[in-house]
Amino acid sequence: MLINMTNVLSHEGRTESLQCEIEMNEFHSFDGSFPIIRKEPLIFRASNVGPGQAEYQGTMVLELQLACDRCLRKVTRLFELSFSGVIISPEMADEEHENSEFMEGYSFNIESLVTNEVLMNWPMKVLCSDDCKGLCMKCGKDLNGGICGCDTFIPDPRMAAIKDIFNANNKEV
Ligand SMILES: [Zn+2]
Ligand SMILES: [Zn+2]
C-alpha cells in the first residue's frame, strides 16, 4: 500500500495521521513464509518539519506463526513494532541527501516498512518452550511427547572402565 506524501511534504506545519490495515496475510523472509494470524491496524503519522521534509512515526502489532527450532511445533510470536524516520521530497534527494528507502516518488510504501521492521525484530531463537527436548536424532520422534526407545546412548570410555572393575569385583565375591 502506498501513502501519498505530497501534501505533508509541501505544506509547512502540516500533519497527517492515518490508520490502515495492511494487506499481507503471509510474511516472507529469507527462510520461508509465515502466516500472519493476527494484525492490528497500522497507526501512521507524518509531520512537515521544513520545506520538503517530514518526520514520520507509527506503531503496529502483528502475530506470526513460526516453527520451533528444535521440534518444529507451531509457535506464535508477537511483533510490537514502533518506528520513526525522516523523508524528503524526491526532487531534494541527491547523493548527499538520500531519501528513505520506503519512498517511491512522492509515495511511502507501507508494506516495505512493515517487512523491514519485522525482520529487524525477528527472534534469534524460536522455541516452543525453553526446555523443549526436540526431535530424536534417529527416528525423528518429538521427544516432548515421551521417549522413543532408540539407543542414542553414547558410552563414555571412562565409565566403561569403571564398569569393568565393578564386574570383576562382583565375580570374586
Ligand atoms: Zn519445541
Ligand atoms: Zn528415536
Side-chain angles (χ1 to χ4, degrees):
M1 186 189 155
L2 296 174
I3 302 173
N4 191 329
M5 291 293 178
T6 314
N7 279 337
V8 77
L9 285 170
S10 54
H11 292 85
E12 224 169 297
R14 180 89 162 226
T15 291
E16 282 185 7
S17 303
L18 73 107
Q19 274 198 30
C20 66
E21 193 81 46
I22 58 153
E23 281 159 27
M24 56 179 159
N25 292 310
E26 229 176 24
F27 185 80
H28 300 279
S29 88
F30 39 87
D31 52 21
S33 51
F34 305 90
I36 297 174
I37 51 178
R38 188 170 71 90
K39 54 187 176 185
E40 287 175 16
L42 170 104
I43 296 166
F44 187 87
R45 191 183 142 101
S47 304
N48 184 292
V49 289
Q53 282 181 64
E55 282 176 1
Y56 67 85
Q57 50 188 290
T59 55
M60 186 176 175
V61 174
L62 71 168
E63 249 176 311
L64 258 62
Q65 192 179 78
L66 310 181
C68 173
D69 291 339
R70 288 185 198 152
C71 71
L72 309 176
R73 263 194 233 190
K74 288 170 183 169
V75 178
T76 299
R77 275 286 172 279
L78 182 71
F79 291 80
E80 290 175 293
L81 311 177
S82 171
F83 46 84
S84 61
V86 177
I87 55 169
I88 55 175
S89 198
E91 72 266 7
M92 285 171 64
D94 54 33
E95 276 156 33
E96 231 177 298
H97 305 92
E98 219 179 292
N99 210 350
S100 159
E101 60 183 301
F102 309 119
M103 284 297 279
E104 293 175 13
Y106 284 90
S107 299
F108 191 91
N109 190 325
I110 284 294
E111 260 84 10
S112 307
L113 169 84
V114 171
T115 301
N116 187 64
E117 288 297 318
V118 170
L119 287 177
M120 280 178 30
N121 287 280
W122 200 261
M124 293 286 285
K125 226 186 209 179
V126 180
L127 292 177
C128 61
S129 79
D130 283 341
D131 58 355
C132 171
K133 294 181 177 66
L135 303 177
C136 170
M137 305 273 269
K138 255 190 183 169
C139 71
K141 184 185 189 296
D142 184 347
L143 298 175
N144 295 304
I147 52 164
C148 53
C150 288
D151 184 13
T152 51
F153 178 68
I154 302 155
D156 183 331
R158 286 166 305 172
M159 281 305 289
I162 292 165
K163 233 183 189 173
D164 286 346
I165 295 163
F166 187 76
N167 287 341
N169 286 343
N170 272 356
K171 265 173 216 157
E172 276 166 28
V173 173

